[in-house]
Amino acid sequence: MDAPYVFNIQKFSTHDGPGIRTTIFFKGCPLHCDWCHNPESQRFEPEKMLDKDQHEQIMGRQYSIDELVRIMQADQIFYDQSGGGVTFSGGEVLAQNRVYVSELARRLQEIGISVAIDTCGAVPWSQFEAVLPYSDIFLYDLKFIDSQLHERYTGAPNILVLENLKRLSAAGAAIYLRLILLEGLNTTDEMLQRLQDWLQQEGIQLQEIDLLPYHDFGRDKYAQLGRVCTQHFKRPSDDQIAMIQQRLTATHANVQVGG
């Protein structure tokens, strides 16, 4: 079984699902979002990156399932006390070897560790089917309800993303819908109304909506990777974020800023 590459294991994470979590960041993603704050996550293979002291490091190493289980189990007391667990993120975890990912999730569930899947949704449904029995939460990114905008800024249309969200909801999965907020693009009245209409028409069942305002914390990483950063987005104002939260709360009880 080919092990995927992991570029970071972040302990004591509080932004990747409920409670205290350990987040495993897998390398490689089918999308290339223009605002990506982890550009080292985009390619599936290891690559060189300079640290803040201009020292070269290799991003991406392989772990056996046994290794990862031992690392995750070391902090199980914190998961149990806080209602947390382990989050598989990326990159895109569901674009990795599905046998490896599903077996890792099964092993963690077997020892009582909750598993969350952070996904962009742009993968075959079979990838979801493989992890569904062993995953407690799906953190589901929906970047644009408009497919043309989605393709322009991520490199792919959103047809698969929306279809998988419908199937995941129909399967009864616990879904935290994550909406990145890009000023003037997906924060307009038209886009918000289209989003609300689609969620209602398709009967999408959500446990939570997380609003994620754009930030540029990852800009310096592009130079460290020897790439050019082309980010040109803006964060909505606090007042606009509050308005969006209030608007979505009218149809969904649990709408949070951050997550």
Side-chain angles (χ1 to χ4, degrees):
M1 182 193 315
D2 292 334
Y5 288 95
V6 171
F7 70 92
N8 190 21
I9 296 175
Q10 183 176 315
K11 295 195 171 193
F12 297 97
S13 174
T14 57
H15 299 287
D16 297 313
I20 295 172
R21 313 190 70 81
T22 297
T23 304
I24 307 172
F25 291 90
F26 292 89
K27 207 168 181 323
C29 184
L31 301 183
H32 291 87
C33 303
D34 284 354
W35 58 85
C36 183
H37 60 274
N38 283 327
E40 72 275 30
S41 75
Q42 295 174 349
R43 297 176 181 172
F44 286 88
E45 68 277 1
E47 58 189 315
K48 296 177 181 178
M49 183 175 181
L50 299 178
D51 63 20
K52 61 181 180 180
D53 299 315
Q54 300 300 298
H55 296 140
E56 193 174 87
Q57 56 187 332
I58 301 297
M59 303 303 297
R61 62 156 287 195
Q62 293 171 303
Y63 293 83
S64 71
I65 290 175
D66 287 342
E67 282 183 281
L68 286 180
V69 170
R70 284 196 297 270
I71 294 169
M72 302 303 109
Q73 196 170 17
D75 292 323
Q76 189 164 2
I77 186 172
F78 301 110
Y79 314 147
D80 293 344
Q81 291 177 347
S82 67
V86 173
T87 299
F88 297 177
S89 188
E92 173 53 58
V93 60
L94 296 185
Q96 314 297 330
N97 183 315
R98 68 182 175 191
V99 176
Y100 179 101
V101 173
S102 61
E103 177 62 11
L104 176 59
R106 186 193 68 79
R107 289 276 302 278
L108 292 173
Q109 187 189 71
E110 191 175 60
I111 58 175
I113 295 178
S114 175
V115 174
I117 303 292
D118 183 1
T119 180
C120 71
V123 297
W125 174 247
S126 58
Q127 299 293 100
F128 283 93
E129 287 183 307
V131 299
L132 259 172
Y134 316 114
S135 305
D136 300 288
I137 300 167
F138 286 83
L139 310 177
Y140 202 101
D141 298 340
L142 179 54
K143 296 137 189 337
F144 293 99
I145 193 66
D146 183 276
S147 192
Q148 288 185 330
L149 286 177
H150 196 281
E151 185 165 14
R152 176 179 175 183
Y153 291 107
T154 75
N158 69 3
I159 298 169
L160 190 57
V161 177
L162 297 180
E163 181 61 29
N164 284 334
L165 181 54
K166 289 192 290 186
R167 298 179 80 163
L168 200 59
S169 173
I175 303 171
Y176 289 35
L177 189 66
R178 293 157 72 90
L179 306 175
I180 185 168
L181 301 182
L182 303 162
E183 169 64 33
L185 290 176
N186 56 10
T187 60
T188 64
D189 286 342
E190 177 195 355
M191 290 302 165
L192 291 170
Q193 190 62 56
R194 284 177 62 180
L195 171 65
Q196 288 179 289
D197 290 345
W198 185 85
L199 292 172
Q200 184 175 20
Q201 289 167 6
E202 299 297 338
I204 305 298
Q205 300 298 308
L206 304 174
Q207 284 208 353
E208 183 172 310
I209 295 178
D210 296 329
L211 305 178
L212 309 178
Y214 167 75
H215 64 74
D216 62 0
F217 300 157
R219 288 182 65 92
D220 292 343
K221 292 182 178 181
Y222 290 84
Q224 292 171 302
L225 288 163
R227 302 185 209 165
V228 176
C229 178
T230 58
Q231 292 186 11
H232 54 274
F233 303 98
K234 292 183 179 179
R235 180 187 190 276
S237 68
D238 290 343
D239 286 345
Q240 189 172 12
I241 294 168
M243 180 275 293
I244 294 170
Q245 183 180 22
Q246 182 178 22
R247 177 172 182 159
L248 293 175
T249 301
T251 50
H252 296 87
N254 193 5
V255 182
Q256 308 292 327
V257 178

